[in-house]
Structures are given as C-alpha cells and as structure tokens.
Amino acid sequence: QVSCVTNGGAKNNQGFKRKHLGSDENTTACCHDEVSDDKGDIGTSGRDTSTNINDDTQPDGVSKRKRLPKELTFQDMYNNQDAFDDDDEDDSDWEPVQKHLEILKWFCTNCTMVNLDDVVHCDICGEHKESGILKHGFYASPCSPELDLIQVESEARERDKDLRFEASASNCSTAVGFDERMLLHSEVEMKSHPHPERPDRLRAIAASLAVAGIFPGKCYPIPAREITQEELRRVHSLEHIETVELTSQILSSYFTPDTYANEHSAYAARLAAGLCANLASAIFSGRVRNGFALVRPPGHHAGVTQAMGFCLHNNAAVAALAAQAAGAKKVLIVDWDVHHGNGTQEIFEQNKSVLYISLHRHEGGKFYPGTGAAFEVGSKGAEGYCVNIPWSRGGVGDNDYIFAFQHVVLPIDISRI
C-alpha cells in the first residue's frame, strides 16, 4: 500500500507516518519502487506517480487521499482516518473523545449539599437520596426508600391525636416561632446548583417537628410580626435599611453574588427579625424558658451597613437588643455556625452589655468571611466582650466542640460582664 504523496506533501507530513518517512528523495523513490511493476507509470515524476497510483491502483474508497490538504491538522487526520490506515500501527491511543462526560449529581433535600449520583446517602448528613422529609417529615436514611409511607402517615396521625391540645405559656416551657410567609424569600433565577439557603431548608425542619409532634403540639407558638424601622435602626444604618426595602420594587436583585433578594425578601426579613424580637421578649418576661426561631433569611453576616452571606438583617442582634428593651441588662450570644458571624461582632464590638462568643472555621483568615481571629476581642473599652474560637482546618467534630466549651466557653465568668 502506498502512503506517500507529493514531494512537498511528504515534507509537510513528516512525523505522521513512521513507516514511509525520510528525505524527499527517499519518499519519491519509495513511490517508484512500489509501482515498478505497473508499466504505465514507469518513468513518470514523483508527483505523477503518486497521482496515478491513487487513481488507478487503490480501491475506490481510498481515492480520496489525493484530496487531502498539504498542511494537515489533527482534526483533518481524524476526519480522514482511512487515508492513514496502517496495519502495523495502532493509533487508538490518541483518538479524541467524542462525547463530553457528564458527571451526574443530586442535592440533598435535608442539608442541600451536592452528592455524586452513585451515592445513596448524603455524605454530609446521611439523608437518603429519595428523602421524604419535605412531604412526610421523617429522615429516610434509617429506612429503605420503599418504606410504607401510608403506615408512617397513619402512625403520625395517631401520635398527633395524643399530643393535640391547646398550647399555652402555662403548659409549655419552650416556644417556637415560624411563619410560612418567610418561604416567599427565594432566588428567582433557576440555576443548576440550588442555593443552600432556600425555602426547602425551613420546610424540612417544620415537617420534622410536625411529624414528631413537637410543633405544633408540645411548644408554645410565637407569632411573627414585622420589625419596625425604629428597632432596625438600633442595629443597622438607615442607608442599609432603605437599600433592603428597595428590593421590594425589583423582581430579582443581588447584594453580593450569593446574597439574593426578590420582591418579597424585604418583607420576609422584617418578619424574621420581628419574630426573633418577640421570642427574646417572651423568654425574658418568663412566659417561656427557652425558644427556637425558625426564620429566614438568616442574619449573622449582616453588619451595620451591608448585607452579605445570605443575610439581610441581623436577627441575633435584633433579638439581643429586644431582650435589653424588655429589661435584660446582659446578653450572651453563642454562635456555633461554621462561618464567623462578622456582622454580629461588628454590631457589638464596642458594647460591654453583650458578650459575643463564636466558634467557627477560620484557617488563618482563608475561610469565609475571613474574620474572627483569636486576637479580635472587642475595642474601645469593650475588650474581652468578644471571644473567638477559630478552627485552623475543616473536619472539626463533636469532641473538638465539647473540649472548646469545657475549656474556653464555660470557664468565662459571665457574672463579671
């Protein structure tokens, strides 16, 4: 089989075919040698020989070789593989990939984190891939996806029947606040990766509490109300408050690439802050011993003048000041979110009536939001009223937190505040 082309072509294609490579003279000679038995071609030039061979001696399917361009790219070679066939050489190791390999993944209903498709249980929280938590309020991980959901619902109804009574402050020691209107706060633009702070986060919690008969049932309900601008101004600047309110006139907006708002977000943020204020007042007044505010958008990244980290208004700061307005002289805020509550620290950095303690991943300032180093202790007379416990890496577990509480948090003499 003849693989050579013209002198110029052979020169340009050096490196593609090892069997017939050489100088221009060798290439031409190769052509003459291989067609010497064909009398019609003896004595012609290398160019003529190559052309005649392609036309007369090769199968019809191979005649297209003469139409190959002199300057061949790898794509040209791939599109004309039969022009370079060689029984002694296997080029399969360099064939380009024909299809883009798509990595299939799913997002956990419970914790919202991403998992590979072949994983059945979430790597983060253990929830089953086919979780029924939003609809049925139970974790699917301890049981198979084929669990008899009718039986589960029947048992839940019977349990609710036993726990159903009029909840009041007189027979409940724990209060829970929740309002479905906060679910209106959501990201308008649908993306391939769902936002971790989305309505499903509260739906999953509320469903679990309801099926367990905890709320409604065993807990005192705290109603939500819209926080007033006067109350917000004790925490945020007027400019910040007005900027958040402006989003109610816009279908979709962003304070930062990951902090979204829609036309309902400002309303949801006012409800979240108002509910936290009501809860703090109820606890300080003695109506309940403790409580849980099931609210969104969250708050501890929201500072005096900026919204960030999914947060619009600082709910924890609003609750602390509401407790003080109800008569509390001292307030302790313990923040164990994986991220440092930079907004809460900023708001109370110079306040000696609020002790802020945060345990968070820090990594020398490389982990979001980069604040919360151990040397950040407060300022302008409030030194010591800010306590940061920064983890130097990820993967910190329960034992680490227990150790930190036993040796750092609990020994703090709160009575001296």
Side-chain angles (χ1 to χ4, degrees):
Q1 181 179 3
V2 178
S3 296
C4 60
V5 287
T6 65
N7 290 350
K11 184 176 182 179
N12 289 334
N13 294 322
Q14 288 181 7
F16 293 142
K17 303 298 291 182
R18 295 189 296 271
K19 184 175 180 180
H20 299 294
L21 287 183
S23 65
D24 291 347
E25 291 77 8
N26 291 337
T27 303
T28 304
C30 171
C31 293
H32 282 294
D33 290 342
E34 291 185 7
V35 299
S36 59
D37 293 336
D38 191 336
K39 297 179 179 179
D41 290 330
I42 294 176
T44 60
S45 67
R47 179 181 299 273
D48 294 334
T49 302
S50 174
T51 302
N52 291 335
I53 290 171
N54 281 327
D55 288 340
D56 302 329
T57 66
Q58 299 302 312
D60 292 339
V62 188
S63 62
K64 63 181 179 180
R65 293 176 186 173
K66 66 180 181 179
R67 296 191 296 271
L68 292 177
K70 293 182 179 181
E71 299 270 347
L72 294 183
T73 64
F74 279 112
Q75 188 62 42
D76 294 327
M77 295 174 64
Y78 184 73
N79 292 335
N80 298 275
Q81 291 185 46
D82 55 347
F84 294 93
D85 286 342
D86 192 328
D87 294 336
D88 298 330
E89 187 174 9
D90 181 13
D91 292 328
S92 60
D93 59 339
W94 66 265
E95 290 182 359
V97 178
Q98 289 295 300
K99 296 182 179 179
H100 173 67
L101 183 61
E102 182 180 359
I103 300 177
L104 299 178
K105 55 189 177 182
W106 59 277
F107 298 91
C108 178
T109 305
N110 181 53
C111 71
T112 76
M113 302 310 294
V114 64
N115 295 272
L116 295 179
D117 190 59
D118 58 349
V119 175
V120 178
H121 294 91
C122 177
D123 288 333
I124 304 299
C125 70
E127 178 66 352
H128 196 280
K129 181 179 179 180
E130 304 296 336
S131 172
I133 190 170
L134 291 182
K135 183 176 181 181
H136 307 284
F138 68 91
Y139 285 110
S141 46
C143 48
S144 69
E146 293 79 20
L147 182 72
D148 188 353
L149 296 179
I150 297 178
Q151 179 183 352
V152 172
E153 292 174 344
S154 176
E155 293 175 354
R157 281 194 295 270
E158 289 298 322
R159 185 166 59 249
D160 290 344
K161 216 178 274 185
D162 297 335
L163 297 172
R164 193 172 296 148
F165 59 88
E166 185 66 26
S168 64
S170 60
N171 55 25
C172 292
S173 62
T174 298
V176 172
F178 174 63
D179 193 301
E180 289 187 348
R181 291 174 291 179
M182 288 181 287
L183 302 179
L184 295 173
H185 170 63
S186 62
E187 191 171 28
V188 174
E189 181 183 357
M190 299 301 293
K191 299 179 179 179
S192 58
H193 191 312
H195 200 289
E197 208 303 284
R198 58 184 187 270
D200 284 351
R201 186 176 68 85
L202 288 201
R203 290 192 184 105
I205 299 173
S208 294
L209 293 178
V211 170
I214 296 174
F215 180 78
K218 292 183 176 181
C219 298
Y220 176 64
I222 292 291
R225 68 170 175 87
E226 293 184 59
I227 198 75
T228 65
Q229 186 179 102
E230 181 182 357
E231 290 172 295
L232 283 178
R233 289 193 66 175
R234 300 180 61 196
V235 175
H236 300 292
S237 67
L238 178 61
E239 181 183 4
H240 169 78
I241 298 170
E242 292 176 344
T243 300
V244 173
E245 289 302 315
L246 185 63
T247 62
S248 61
Q249 304 174 29
I250 307 172
L251 178 63
S252 176
S253 56
Y254 286 83
F255 293 92
T256 67
D258 62 356
T259 307
Y260 64 82
N262 64 15
E263 56 188 327
H264 306 291
S265 297
Y267 180 50
R270 292 196 303 272
L271 288 174
L275 194 153
C276 290
N278 282 355
L279 179 60
S281 300
I283 294 172
F284 182 78
S285 67
R287 283 186 288 154
V288 291
R289 290 189 58 189
N290 49 56
F292 177 67
L294 184 53
V295 299
R296 59 183 299 274
H300 75 158
H301 291 306
V304 175
T305 61
Q306 79 281 349
M308 61 179 288
F310 318 161
C311 305
L312 303 187
H313 295 320
N314 197 304
N315 302 316
V318 168
L321 295 181
Q324 290 186 333
K329 294 181 179 179
K330 303 172 184 178
V331 176
L332 168 64
I333 298 176
V334 180
D335 185 343
W336 69 94
D337 186 271
V338 68
H339 302 103
H340 177 241
N342 59 301
T344 309
Q345 176 174 299
E346 177 194 7
I347 292 168
F348 296 115
E349 190 172 22
Q350 303 172 23
N351 191 326
K352 297 175 64 175
S353 65
V354 176
L355 172 62
Y356 176 67
I357 301 177
S358 177
L359 302 90
H360 51 270
R361 184 173 170 182
H362 188 251
E363 297 184 7
K366 296 180 181 179
F367 193 75
Y368 184 90
T371 55
F375 60 79
E376 299 174 22
V377 296
S379 62
K380 295 186 177 179
E383 287 82 1
Y385 289 86
C386 175
V387 179
N388 284 304
I389 304 173
W391 304 118
S392 60
R393 60 177 180 82
V396 175
D398 292 346
N399 289 334
D400 301 288
Y401 273 82
I402 292 172
F403 185 90
F405 268 86
Q406 290 177 340
H407 295 274
V408 181
V409 178
L410 296 178
I412 296 175
D413 188 358
I414 300 178
S415 63
R416 296 180 58 186
I417 300 176

